[in-house]
Amino acid sequence: MPRFVRSHHVAAMLMLMAAAQMPRVAGQWECYENFMDAISAGNTWITQQGLNIAGYSNKLPSPDIGVAILAPTNGAWLRFFWNNGLFLRQLSGLGDKLTAVVTFHVVPTALTPEMLQGPEGTSPTLYGLLSGLPANLKHWLKDDGVQFLFQGPWDPKVAGAVDVKQVCPSCSSGDPSQTCSWVYIVDEVLKPAYDLSDVLTVQIPDSLNLGGGGPAPASPAPASPVPASPPAAGPVPSNPAPSTPASPACDKTFAQVAEQTGGLTILKTMLSQPQYAAALPSPAYDYTVFAPSDNAFFAFLSAFNLSITDALALGDRLNSVLLYHVVPGALTPDQLAKQTQLTTGLAIKTNNGDFTLGVANADGATTVSGKYPGNTAKVQSNVGVCASQVYVIDQLLIPAASLDAIPTTNGGLPPPTTPAPAAAPSAPPTVAATPPAAGPAPSNPAPSPAASAEFAGVALATGYLANCSVTLSGSSGSQAATTDGTGRFSFACGGDCTELGATVTLPAAGQAAGCADSLTQLPPPFDLQAPVAALPAGASLAALSPLTTIIAAAAAQQAQQAAAAPSPAAVANRRLLADAPAPAPDQQQQQQPLFGITEGGSAAGTSYGDPLAAALTGDQDAYNLLSKNQELMCTGSITGALLSGLVGGGATPVAGAAALFDELARDLLAGSPFNLSSQESVQSLLDRSYTSLAGATEGATPPAGVDRAAVEQAATQTLVLLNSLLQQAVDTAKENQLAEADKMVTVLARLAKICQVNVAPAATQLAAGSLSVDAWQQQFSLDAIRNLAVSA
């Protein structure tokens, strides 16, 4: 998924900082006190030049940060040039490609020889952290038991280590406690993509050079444990007394404890962000907090193939994970060892007694277990802080069987009014059930009642539209809601939410600054709508997307027709997808008023549920729907900008996009599936949308000297090209059976971002005459769009 470089810099810096906690492995390896000396000791002149040209040689971190660098030999580079049609003299002209290759050979952890002698493993690369891609290196020991081997996810070549250099702050001190780094001289250059033209542009931030760095701060001496309140049987009271006592004196926060405790760098960074700062309570009260170590976070990222940026993007789910590490009641080590089950802060926050932790003790070692299969953490150390107890653990505790099943929460727990019980009863306590977190519609949903008092939905553009205002409007009035970090929203209607004519709207105008797409980080370019009555029986989640905006426009037009002719002829179900099979006659009649998006396979689960989540799990139908959404995102954003400029007067891009969707709805009502990859169809659509917008705009003043026909034709060609690329992504996904769903979703997101960031603003210039048709065609040729997609 495209991400901004700044967030990747932070992620990479955190990984490098956290790696400082890795232990030094003593051995027989030749020792150097800086990286360039270690690299230059091998047959690696081209690697040295590559580091200089890429601007990384002066940004190499201090050895005590603990990193590993693969340095290809000169022979490896010459083979790399030959295999990729390059010459050595072109090294300085490779630019972004060279930076990508260099950073792909940097592992921001102290990957020691002892670690490489263990079982096969994977390690993140600096390129992966800066680009947001899962660009990890696989490493293992050759069958001969001597040579270390490395391989990337795209290149079949395997790089073997021909020499190993140790890099330490002081080679002569003999200090076994100092943290060191490693340089592996390897016999192949590994590519960070299938083809060099596909690599993403990354920038190496100055912050990666931590000024020589120093050893990790010493852990504070453990404070005397505070006697814990005895755990009470049963759940935490669901209705605590309203009065809240004054907070006991305490001069620390859990974020400060994480900062002062070695090995908790990532936890400290998370707690320093306002979104998560409130998840953990004050140590002034009686709590037990399990603090995942940096290695615990690394294991979590590796298990779920995430970068730190991806983890932070979990948003409200990550808040829930933090709450899952909080237990009311300050348990001393002896008390903890005697427990079998603990009620967590997440159980209290959600009023769901299933969110418990399991505890076991064997041979004096205490373990804590989450709900994810095999998710068991060992307690490594303990420190008392004010009235609380903190336990450092070696695994992140996961409260559900999958990341998608984790509920979303905001903030932390209220201050306790009485000492809160920590131990849960042997069986999970029975509590009032809460509505499940919004997610993909179940494959066999239970029928919905005729009248729904709650309406839940998910707002989608390219990704989830987070922190955006949505409005439910109907004959009984209107109410507002705000989407969460995964685009979810809900309305409590106090009656039938699905009344005829009720509509959910997410307007483009008037949104707060934080309203943005989770994949492109862009605000919505036009209004999104969905008719509430179109939610079919049995579906638990309604999508609000560009596709439903067509449905809403069609429903409004049909309502107008019905008002003019009270007894209209029956209208068969319309299909929005050109390749969708026609429904059976009985299904036609059932879906007739819904204007549903008919698609083979899991229609209810993808059409009206969450197609993004479904696509990421490999649902091909959902991916097809997601692609159609992106066609509309591209066409709507570009056409809106183009038409508003051509019409002039008070016309806006939002009004231009609305005119487009009205015309698509007319096609729908006429029984015509839309095809935005057809030159003829798109040209006709632009003509009709222009006429509609011009007729509805007071004081329309087209720009002088602009050949509207030539401008529309040029824009049509670009739209068809972009939408054809989106369709090619669908074809590719079908061919590989969506084996790499996350990468295929990334393709859609990059193209949609190009439409909004690059093409739409240029369409405004094209319509105004400040950009010529020839310049437009050069700017958005196939090669130019491909280059934009790589860097999007």
Side-chain angles (χ1 to χ4, degrees):
M1 137 102 318
R3 299 175 177 86
F4 288 112
V5 172
R6 182 175 300 171
S7 62
H8 297 144
H9 292 175
V10 173
M13 180 176 65
L14 291 177
M15 292 289 279
L16 288 172
M17 291 176 64
Q21 311 304 330
M22 297 288 186
R24 172 183 183 270
V25 178
Q28 72 278 21
W29 314 103
E30 190 174 2
C31 183
Y32 297 83
E33 295 188 353
N34 67 72
F35 285 104
M36 293 306 288
D37 285 348
I39 293 171
S40 63
N43 183 25
T44 55
W45 176 83
I46 300 177
T47 293
Q48 299 169 54
Q49 296 305 306
L51 288 169
N52 289 326
I53 294 170
Y56 192 44
S57 61
N58 62 343
K59 296 181 181 179
L60 290 169
S62 171
D64 62 0
I65 290 299
V67 301
I69 295 178
L70 308 187
T73 63
N74 293 335
W77 278 105
L78 293 175
R79 284 191 298 275
F80 173 79
F81 291 140
W82 175 262
N83 293 332
N84 289 277
L86 300 170
F87 296 96
L88 177 59
R89 64 176 180 271
Q90 294 178 278
L91 181 65
S92 60
L94 288 178
D96 294 338
K97 297 180 179 63
L98 179 61
T99 304
V101 171
V102 167
T103 53
F104 188 54
H105 288 71
V106 178
V107 177
T109 58
L111 197 57
T112 67
E114 283 191 355
M115 295 167 66
L116 293 174
Q117 288 170 2
E120 178 182 304
T122 59
S123 294
T125 64
L126 182 58
Y127 173 72
L129 294 170
L130 294 175
S131 67
L133 296 175
N136 299 331
L137 286 179
K138 182 170 67 174
H139 46 75
W140 68 98
L141 186 64
K142 193 174 179 180
D143 291 341
D144 61 10
V146 175
Q147 190 177 36
F148 304 131
L149 302 178
F150 304 88
Q151 187 179 34
W154 300 287
D155 193 344
K157 285 187 171 55
V158 175
V162 297
D163 199 359
V164 181
K165 314 286 186 181
Q166 191 176 36
V167 187
C168 299
S170 176
C171 293
S172 60
S173 68
D175 180 7
S177 64
Q178 66 177 328
T179 301
C180 294
S181 296
W182 298 87
V183 171
Y184 296 90
I185 311 298
V186 293
D187 57 7
E188 291 289 350
V189 177
L190 301 175
K191 283 197 299 188
Y194 290 113
D195 188 87
L196 282 181
S197 62
D198 295 330
V199 300
L200 298 185
T201 300
V202 296
Q203 297 178 14
I204 305 171
D206 293 333
S207 54
L208 289 181
N209 183 353
L210 303 179
S219 302
S224 301
V226 178
S229 304
V236 175
S238 57
N239 297 304
S243 59
T244 301
S247 172
C250 182
D251 61 352
K252 292 184 184 299
T253 64
F254 283 118
Q256 291 171 327
V257 173
E259 183 175 9
Q260 296 168 2
T261 303
L264 300 181
T265 302
I266 298 178
L267 178 62
K268 181 265 294 185
T269 302
M270 287 176 56
L271 296 179
S272 68
Q273 299 194 26
Q275 183 177 2
Y276 306 116
L280 297 189
S282 168
Y285 299 101
D286 289 352
Y287 285 103
T288 296
V289 173
F290 296 101
S293 66
D294 292 331
N295 285 341
F297 278 99
F298 295 154
F300 165 74
L301 297 175
S302 176
F304 290 94
N305 198 23
L306 302 173
S307 70
I308 291 182
T309 305
D310 296 327
L312 293 176
L314 291 173
D316 294 340
R317 284 186 170 83
L318 188 55
N319 191 82
S320 296
V321 171
L322 290 173
L323 283 170
Y324 193 55
H325 289 71
V326 178
V327 173
L331 296 173
T332 64
D334 288 342
Q335 291 172 325
L336 178 63
K338 295 175 183 178
Q339 306 302 317
T340 58
Q341 199 170 46
L342 299 173
T343 297
T344 66
L346 182 59
I348 298 170
K349 185 77 171 180
T350 61
N351 198 29
N352 188 335
D354 289 337
F355 294 122
T356 57
L357 292 171
V359 183
N361 185 275
D363 300 325
T366 301
T367 58
V368 187
S369 300
K371 297 298 183 182
Y372 189 81
N375 183 214
T376 298
K378 296 178 182 178
V379 172
Q380 296 181 316
S381 61
N382 161 249
V383 59
V385 182
C386 298
S388 293
Q389 291 287 323
V390 177
Y391 292 88
V392 178
I393 54 177
D394 66 353
Q395 293 289 327
L396 191 71
L397 300 170
I398 310 299
S402 69
L403 294 184
D404 288 338
I406 298 173
T408 58
T409 59
N410 286 297
L413 300 175
T417 56
T418 58
S426 56
T430 301
V431 295
T434 57
S443 56
N444 295 300
S448 299
S452 171
E454 179 169 304
F455 178 79
V458 56
L460 286 160
T462 298
Y464 299 118
L465 285 170
N467 306 312
C468 300
S469 298
V470 292
T471 303
L472 172 64
S473 303
S475 60
S476 58
S478 64
Q479 58 177 301
T482 302
T483 60
D484 66 11
T486 56
R488 266 62 174 177
F489 61 88
S490 64
F491 296 100
C493 307
D496 182 6
C497 291
T498 60
E499 64 180 70
L500 188 62
T503 303
V504 176
T505 302
L506 191 155
Q511 293 287 354
C515 172
D517 188 294
S518 63
L519 296 186
T520 65
Q521 304 300 315
L522 299 172
F526 47 78
D527 296 346
L528 298 179
Q529 289 188 321
V532 176
L535 181 66
S540 62
L541 187 69
L544 172 62
S545 69
L547 280 170
T548 65
T549 302
I550 299 179
I551 300 173
Q557 291 174 22
Q558 190 188 41
Q560 292 175 353
Q561 295 171 6
S567 302
V571 181
N573 182 53
R574 314 303 186 192
R575 290 180 288 133
L576 294 183
L577 300 182
D579 57 348
D586 58 337
Q587 293 176 327
Q588 280 191 352
Q589 184 63 32
Q590 180 183 2
Q591 295 188 10
Q592 176 182 328
L594 303 178
F595 294 97
I597 305 165
T598 305
E599 175 73 299
S602 52
T606 57
S607 298
Y608 292 94
D610 183 346
L612 176 56
L616 288 171
T617 63
D619 188 325
Q620 181 65 56
D621 294 335
Y623 186 80
N624 199 357
L625 284 170
L626 204 59
S627 174
K628 294 301 178 184
N629 257 330
Q630 303 326 304
E631 286 187 27
L632 291 170
M633 286 299 298
C634 279
T635 307
S637 58
I638 296 170
T639 300
L642 182 78
L643 293 183
S644 63
L646 288 174
V647 169
T652 65
V654 170
L660 169 80
F661 281 99
D662 281 342
E663 292 305 317
L664 285 169
R666 289 188 177 90
D667 290 345
L668 174 67
L669 288 169
S672 302
F674 70 81
N675 182 359
L676 299 179
S677 301
S678 163
Q679 181 88 14
E680 181 180 358
S681 296
V682 175
Q683 184 74 59
S684 171
L685 186 61
L686 286 183
D687 284 341
R688 290 183 284 123
S689 299
Y690 172 85
T691 302
S692 173
L693 181 63
T697 302
E698 185 176 350
T701 53
V706 173
D707 184 345
R708 181 169 70 87
V711 165
E712 286 188 358
Q713 183 178 10
T716 296
Q717 292 170 349
T718 301
L719 282 168
V720 169
L721 174 58
L722 288 164
N723 292 330
S724 297
L725 292 174
L726 287 165
Q727 184 56 50
Q728 287 178 20
V730 173
D731 295 340
T732 302
K734 288 179 180 178
E735 291 173 5
N736 62 24
Q737 298 181 335
L738 210 55
E740 296 180 300
D742 56 339
K743 293 180 182 178
M744 296 308 299
V745 169
T746 298
V747 170
L748 300 182
R750 288 181 186 167
L751 289 170
K753 189 172 183 180
I754 289 170
C755 293
Q756 296 178 66
V757 173
N758 302 103
V759 187
T764 301
Q765 297 175 328
L766 180 66
S770 58
L771 181 67
S772 69
V773 169
D774 288 342
W776 166 278
Q777 292 172 336
Q778 291 177 7
Q779 190 170 340
F780 301 114
S781 66
L782 177 59
D783 288 341
I785 290 174
R786 182 181 181 183
N787 291 335
L788 289 172
V790 170
S791 60

